[in-house]
Amino acid sequence: MNATRTAPAGGGFETPTDGIRVRAPYEMRPLNTDAERAAAAALVEDRARWLANRDIGVPHHHEAAYRDAWAEAVGLYEDNIDGEEALVGCLLLHRQPDLRPCDTDTEGPSLGISLVYTAPGRDDKVGWLITLWASDFADRINASWVHAEVPSRHTGGGGTPGRLLNHLRSIGWLVTGTGLSRDGEGVTRLRLIAQDRGLAAMVHCTVPLQHTGNPEPKDEDPR
Protein backbone atom coordinates (compact mmCIF):
# COMPACT_ATOMS: atom_id res chain seq x y z
CA MET A 1 0.00 0.00 0.00
CA ASN A 2 1.33 3.43 -0.88
CA ALA A 3 1.97 5.86 1.94
CA THR A 4 -0.32 8.88 2.14
CA ARG A 5 1.69 12.03 1.45
CA THR A 6 1.33 15.46 2.98
CA ALA A 7 1.99 18.91 1.57
CA PRO A 8 5.61 20.06 1.19
CA ALA A 9 7.18 21.13 4.47
CA GLY A 10 9.60 23.45 2.66
CA GLY A 11 12.75 23.15 0.59
CA GLY A 12 11.04 20.99 -2.01
CA PHE A 13 10.55 18.04 0.33
CA GLU A 14 7.30 16.28 1.15
CA THR A 15 6.85 13.95 4.08
CA PRO A 16 5.01 10.60 3.81
CA THR A 17 3.31 9.19 6.87
CA ASP A 18 6.27 6.83 7.38
CA GLY A 19 8.38 9.89 8.24
CA ILE A 20 10.80 9.63 5.31
CA ARG A 21 11.32 12.98 3.56
CA VAL A 22 11.44 12.75 -0.21
CA ARG A 23 12.42 15.59 -2.52
CA ALA A 24 9.98 16.36 -5.34
CA PRO A 25 11.75 15.77 -8.69
CA TYR A 26 10.51 19.06 -10.16
CA GLU A 27 10.23 22.61 -8.93
CA MET A 28 8.26 25.52 -10.41
CA ARG A 29 9.67 28.84 -9.27
CA PRO A 30 9.83 32.51 -10.27
CA LEU A 31 12.57 33.64 -12.63
CA ASN A 32 13.65 36.68 -10.64
CA THR A 33 17.31 37.24 -11.45
CA ASP A 34 19.01 38.28 -14.65
CA ALA A 35 20.77 34.90 -14.77
CA GLU A 36 17.51 32.98 -14.44
CA ARG A 37 15.80 35.05 -17.12
CA ALA A 38 18.81 34.68 -19.41
CA ALA A 39 18.64 30.89 -18.98
CA ALA A 40 14.96 30.96 -19.97
CA ALA A 41 15.75 33.14 -23.01
CA ALA A 42 18.43 30.63 -24.00
CA LEU A 43 15.90 27.79 -23.70
CA VAL A 44 13.51 29.70 -25.98
CA GLU A 45 16.34 30.25 -28.43
CA ASP A 46 17.21 26.53 -28.40
CA ARG A 47 13.57 25.61 -29.01
CA ALA A 48 13.31 28.23 -31.79
CA ARG A 49 16.34 26.68 -33.49
CA TRP A 50 14.77 23.23 -33.14
CA LEU A 51 11.52 24.50 -34.68
CA ALA A 52 13.36 26.32 -37.48
CA ASN A 53 14.85 23.01 -38.54
CA ARG A 54 11.25 21.89 -39.02
CA ASP A 55 10.28 25.03 -40.97
CA ILE A 56 8.40 26.61 -38.05
CA GLY A 57 9.36 30.17 -37.15
CA VAL A 58 9.29 31.81 -33.70
CA PRO A 59 8.96 35.61 -33.32
CA HIS A 60 12.15 37.21 -32.00
CA HIS A 61 10.31 39.05 -29.25
CA HIS A 62 9.51 35.77 -27.49
CA GLU A 63 13.12 35.46 -26.37
CA ALA A 64 13.23 39.15 -25.40
CA ALA A 65 10.07 38.78 -23.31
CA TYR A 66 11.93 36.55 -20.88
CA ARG A 67 14.59 39.21 -20.35
CA ASP A 68 11.93 41.74 -19.29
CA ALA A 69 12.19 42.08 -15.51
CA TRP A 70 8.59 43.28 -15.30
CA ALA A 71 7.12 40.15 -16.90
CA GLU A 72 6.11 37.44 -14.43
CA ALA A 73 8.16 34.54 -15.75
CA VAL A 74 8.33 31.15 -14.04
CA GLY A 75 10.47 28.12 -14.77
CA LEU A 76 10.13 24.38 -14.31
CA TYR A 77 13.33 22.80 -13.00
CA GLU A 78 14.20 19.12 -12.93
CA ASP A 79 16.73 17.33 -10.74
CA ASN A 80 18.95 15.22 -12.99
CA ILE A 81 20.77 11.99 -12.18
CA ASP A 82 23.88 13.95 -11.16
CA GLY A 83 21.96 15.79 -8.46
CA GLU A 84 21.99 19.03 -10.42
CA GLU A 85 18.95 20.98 -11.55
CA ALA A 86 18.13 21.87 -15.13
CA LEU A 87 15.59 24.30 -16.56
CA VAL A 88 13.24 22.19 -18.70
CA GLY A 89 10.35 24.59 -19.28
CA CYS A 90 9.25 28.20 -18.85
CA LEU A 91 6.16 30.35 -19.26
CA LEU A 92 4.75 33.80 -18.54
CA LEU A 93 1.87 34.32 -16.10
CA HIS A 94 -0.93 36.87 -16.49
CA ARG A 95 -2.91 37.26 -13.29
CA GLN A 96 -5.59 39.40 -14.94
CA PRO A 97 -5.78 38.23 -18.55
CA ASP A 98 -7.63 40.29 -21.12
CA LEU A 99 -10.32 37.79 -22.15
CA ARG A 100 -11.61 37.62 -25.70
CA PRO A 101 -15.35 37.46 -26.59
CA CYS A 102 -15.23 33.67 -26.93
CA ASP A 103 -14.06 33.40 -23.30
CA THR A 104 -16.56 35.71 -21.65
CA ASP A 105 -18.92 32.84 -20.86
CA THR A 106 -16.50 31.67 -18.17
CA GLU A 107 -17.43 32.76 -14.69
CA GLY A 108 -15.01 34.00 -12.06
CA PRO A 109 -11.39 35.17 -12.25
CA SER A 110 -8.96 33.54 -14.65
CA LEU A 111 -5.24 32.96 -15.01
CA GLY A 112 -3.54 33.49 -18.35
CA ILE A 113 -0.35 31.81 -19.51
CA SER A 114 1.69 32.59 -22.61
CA LEU A 115 4.99 31.88 -24.39
CA VAL A 116 5.17 28.36 -22.98
CA TYR A 117 8.41 26.70 -24.03
CA THR A 118 9.98 23.35 -23.20
CA ALA A 119 13.55 22.24 -23.75
CA PRO A 120 14.06 20.55 -27.13
CA GLY A 121 14.70 16.85 -27.22
CA ARG A 122 12.18 16.15 -24.47
CA ASP A 123 9.07 14.00 -24.62
CA ASP A 124 5.59 15.39 -23.90
CA LYS A 125 5.97 14.91 -20.15
CA VAL A 126 7.18 18.47 -19.51
CA GLY A 127 4.21 20.04 -21.29
CA TRP A 128 1.90 17.72 -19.37
CA LEU A 129 3.48 18.77 -16.05
CA ILE A 130 3.16 22.46 -16.95
CA THR A 131 -0.52 21.89 -17.77
CA LEU A 132 -1.13 20.15 -14.43
CA TRP A 133 0.75 22.87 -12.57
CA ALA A 134 -1.15 25.70 -14.29
CA SER A 135 -4.48 24.09 -13.42
CA ASP A 136 -3.39 23.49 -9.83
CA PHE A 137 -1.93 26.98 -9.37
CA ALA A 138 -5.05 28.61 -10.81
CA ASP A 139 -7.10 26.70 -8.24
CA ARG A 140 -4.78 27.87 -5.45
CA ILE A 141 -5.29 31.54 -6.39
CA ASN A 142 -9.06 31.01 -6.60
CA ALA A 143 -9.25 31.32 -10.38
CA SER A 144 -11.79 29.26 -12.31
CA TRP A 145 -9.95 28.82 -15.61
CA VAL A 146 -6.57 28.98 -17.28
CA HIS A 147 -6.47 30.66 -20.70
CA ALA A 148 -3.84 30.26 -23.42
CA GLU A 149 -3.31 30.68 -27.15
CA VAL A 150 -1.48 28.43 -29.61
CA PRO A 151 -0.23 29.73 -32.97
CA SER A 152 -2.37 28.33 -35.76
CA ARG A 153 0.75 27.24 -37.65
CA HIS A 154 1.28 24.67 -34.87
CA THR A 155 -2.28 23.34 -34.96
CA GLY A 156 -2.65 22.16 -38.53
CA GLY A 157 -3.86 23.84 -41.68
CA GLY A 158 -7.22 24.11 -43.40
CA GLY A 159 -9.11 23.49 -40.17
CA THR A 160 -7.31 20.18 -39.57
CA PRO A 161 -5.97 19.82 -36.01
CA GLY A 162 -2.22 19.30 -35.83
CA ARG A 163 -0.23 17.09 -33.50
CA LEU A 164 0.23 19.82 -30.87
CA LEU A 165 -3.47 20.67 -30.69
CA ASN A 166 -4.44 17.01 -30.47
CA HIS A 167 -1.94 16.57 -27.64
CA LEU A 168 -3.26 19.60 -25.76
CA ARG A 169 -6.81 18.31 -26.09
CA SER A 170 -5.73 14.92 -24.77
CA ILE A 171 -4.37 16.47 -21.56
CA GLY A 172 -7.44 18.58 -20.80
CA TRP A 173 -7.31 21.80 -22.82
CA LEU A 174 -10.58 22.90 -24.44
CA VAL A 175 -10.69 24.81 -27.73
CA THR A 176 -12.75 27.99 -27.42
CA GLY A 177 -12.20 29.47 -30.86
CA THR A 178 -9.72 31.04 -33.23
CA GLY A 179 -8.63 34.57 -33.95
CA LEU A 180 -5.64 36.90 -34.05
CA SER A 181 -3.08 37.52 -31.35
CA ARG A 182 -1.96 41.02 -30.44
CA ASP A 183 0.84 40.54 -32.94
CA GLY A 184 -1.69 39.85 -35.71
CA GLU A 185 -0.82 36.16 -35.79
CA GLY A 186 -3.53 33.52 -36.25
CA VAL A 187 -4.10 31.60 -33.02
CA THR A 188 -6.28 28.87 -31.56
CA ARG A 189 -7.64 29.87 -28.14
CA LEU A 190 -7.72 27.36 -25.31
CA ARG A 191 -8.89 27.12 -21.75
CA LEU A 192 -8.31 24.67 -18.93
CA ILE A 193 -10.35 24.17 -15.78
CA ALA A 194 -8.69 25.13 -12.51
CA GLN A 195 -8.45 22.10 -10.25
CA ASP A 196 -6.51 20.79 -7.26
CA ARG A 197 -4.14 18.28 -8.88
CA GLY A 198 -2.35 17.09 -5.74
CA LEU A 199 1.09 17.82 -7.17
CA ALA A 200 3.07 18.04 -3.92
CA ALA A 201 4.88 14.76 -4.54
CA MET A 202 5.82 15.67 -8.12
CA VAL A 203 6.23 19.47 -8.37
CA HIS A 204 7.37 21.72 -5.53
CA CYS A 205 5.99 25.21 -6.15
CA THR A 206 7.53 28.43 -4.82
CA VAL A 207 5.59 30.80 -7.10
CA PRO A 208 3.86 33.31 -4.79
CA LEU A 209 0.08 33.35 -4.72
CA GLN A 210 0.19 37.14 -5.08
CA HIS A 211 2.53 38.93 -7.47
CA THR A 212 3.83 42.37 -6.54
CA GLY A 213 4.98 43.23 -10.05
CA ASN A 214 8.28 44.57 -8.74
CA PRO A 215 11.44 43.02 -10.17
CA GLU A 216 14.25 41.80 -7.96
CA PRO A 217 17.60 43.66 -7.90
CA LYS A 218 19.85 43.08 -10.89
CA ASP A 219 22.67 40.52 -10.82
CA GLU A 220 25.27 42.84 -12.29
CA ASP A 221 27.78 44.71 -10.14
CA PRO A 222 26.31 48.25 -9.85
CA ARG A 223 29.74 49.87 -9.90
Side-chain angles (χ1 to χ4, degrees), residues 123-168:
D123 58 20
D124 290 335
K125 182 178 181 181
V126 175
W128 171 69
L129 282 174
I130 290 175
T131 290
L132 291 180
W133 177 84
S135 174
D136 187 87
F137 186 74
D139 180 73
R140 292 175 60 205
I141 63 173
N142 296 318
S144 301
W145 296 92
V146 183
H147 292 273
E149 294 179 347
V150 179
S152 296
R153 65 179 181 275
H154 292 181
T155 60
T160 302
R163 178 178 176 275
L164 176 59
L165 186 56
N166 282 332
H167 171 64
L168 293 173

Side-chain angles (χ1 to χ4, degrees), residues 43-155:
L43 184 151
V44 174
E45 185 178 11
D46 288 345
R47 172 59 80 173
R49 189 178 302 111
W50 185 91
L51 290 170
N53 290 334
R54 291 154 178 80
D55 298 321
I56 300 176
V58 172
H60 294 297
H61 70 81
H62 286 195
E63 178 186 340
Y66 278 95
R67 299 183 186 276
D68 181 0
W70 290 97
E72 187 178 5
V74 299
L76 181 66
Y77 290 82
E78 178 186 54
D79 286 340
N80 60 29
I81 58 175
D82 297 323
E84 300 176 346
E85 64 178 17
L87 180 67
V88 296
C90 54
L91 62 152
L92 301 184
L93 300 184
H94 308 278
R95 307 282 182 138
Q96 296 179 326
D98 184 12
L99 300 183
R100 305 305 173 95
C102 57
D103 297 320
T104 55
D105 60 326
T106 59
E107 296 182 358
S110 298
L111 173 70
I113 65 174
S114 68
L115 305 192
V116 180
Y117 281 91
T118 60
R122 307 278 309 192
D123 58 20
D124 290 335
K125 182 178 181 181
V126 175
W128 171 69
L129 282 174
I130 290 175
T131 290
L132 291 180
W133 177 84
S135 174
D136 187 87
F137 186 74
D139 180 73
R140 292 175 60 205
I141 63 173
N142 296 318
S144 301
W145 296 92
V146 183
H147 292 273
E149 294 179 347
V150 179
S152 296
R153 65 179 181 275
H154 292 181
T155 60

Side-chain angles (χ1 to χ4, degrees), residues 212-223:
T212 62
N214 297 322
E216 294 294 320
K218 300 288 185 180
D219 291 330
E220 294 87 22
D221 190 330
R223 291 175 295 176

